[in-house]
Amino acid sequence: MQYLLVVSDIHGFPETFADLSEVGCSQHRVLQLADLSGRPGLRGDELHHHLFNEDGMRHAVRAVREIDGRTCLGVGFSAGGTALWNAVKEGLELQGLICVSSTRLRFETSPLNIPTMVVWGELDPYRPHVSWNHAVAQRWKTYAGKQHDFYRIDALACESPLRADIAAFIEGRFLFA
């Protein structure tokens, strides 16, 4: 059975993930990025600093790589998506990967060897240029009028376009390019 492997953002979102059983993933596991980084007490800017200016991301990637992901579809929010992407680059086996507002991916130069989807808020100043989407992302979407953290509401709202796009990716119905 396929399940969702979810990695949180630097603020701990999501603590739990809304049930996506209607799209064939009745099971999910939420991993907190702070725990993965070796500093479970950190949140927000302190965790961001630990991840990107110290060795926190290296620890997080190593921790995620130890998971048996062969039956998993990964979903990472912001820095959580960056951790998952890097874990796949270093050998983590996943069936597919969804990165939501993972703006650090703008530094990546080649696509992964698994199905991937990246999504951005149009108003996020750190999202990659559209040329990056065409060169590196397999499937991508920019949500008009949305900020970086739009997913905090949209990922959990039953009728949101983000949730519908995640469900479509999971089900193999790619609604956008």
Side-chain angles (χ1 to χ4, degrees), residues 9 11 13-14 17 75-79 98-103 117-128 133 140-166 176:
D9 69 5
H11 302 287
F13 176 89
F17 196 73
V75 180
F77 294 93
S78 195
I98 301 168
C99 295
V100 181
S101 290
S102 300
T103 56
M117 177 175 87
V118 295
V119 297
W120 323 102
E122 175 189 38
L123 303 178
D124 188 337
Y126 298 107
R127 69 181 167 88
N133 290 325
W140 60 276
K141 185 171 186 178
T142 301
Y143 294 88
K146 299 290 186 173
Q147 299 287 340
H148 174 79
D149 62 353
F150 78 99
Y151 59 83
R152 291 186 186 194
I153 294 172
D154 290 13
L156 302 178
C158 291
E159 302 297 321
S160 79
L162 174 61
R163 189 174 166 103
D165 291 337
I166 290 172
F176 50 87

Side-chain angles (χ1 to χ4, degrees), residues 67-174:
I67 295 168
D68 180 1
R70 290 175 291 173
T71 62
C72 300
L73 181 95
V75 180
F77 294 93
S78 195
T82 302
L84 281 168
W85 183 286
N86 284 306
V88 170
K89 278 180 32 179
E90 293 185 16
L92 174 67
E93 293 182 47
L94 291 176
Q95 290 186 356
L97 176 61
I98 301 168
C99 295
V100 181
S101 290
S102 300
T103 56
R104 292 267 173 167
L105 295 181
R106 70 187 180 273
F107 300 117
E108 296 296 327
T109 58
S110 59
L112 296 176
N113 62 357
I114 61 170
T116 57
M117 177 175 87
V118 295
V119 297
W120 323 102
E122 175 189 38
L123 303 178
D124 188 337
Y126 298 107
R127 69 181 167 88
H129 188 271
V130 70
S131 63
W132 182 93
N133 290 325
H134 291 293
V136 179
Q138 294 176 11
R139 286 158 186 79
W140 60 276
K141 185 171 186 178
T142 301
Y143 294 88
K146 299 290 186 173
Q147 299 287 340
H148 174 79
D149 62 353
F150 78 99
Y151 59 83
R152 291 186 186 194
I153 294 172
D154 290 13
L156 302 178
C158 291
E159 302 297 321
S160 79
L162 174 61
R163 189 174 166 103
D165 291 337
I166 290 172
F169 184 84
I170 291 168
E171 293 174 348
R173 295 180 291 108
F174 307 114

Side-chain angles (χ1 to χ4, degrees), residues 3-19:
Y3 72 95
L4 294 180
L5 176 64
V6 180
V7 178
S8 76
D9 69 5
I10 62 170
H11 302 287
F13 176 89
E15 290 184 27
T16 62
F17 196 73
D19 183 16

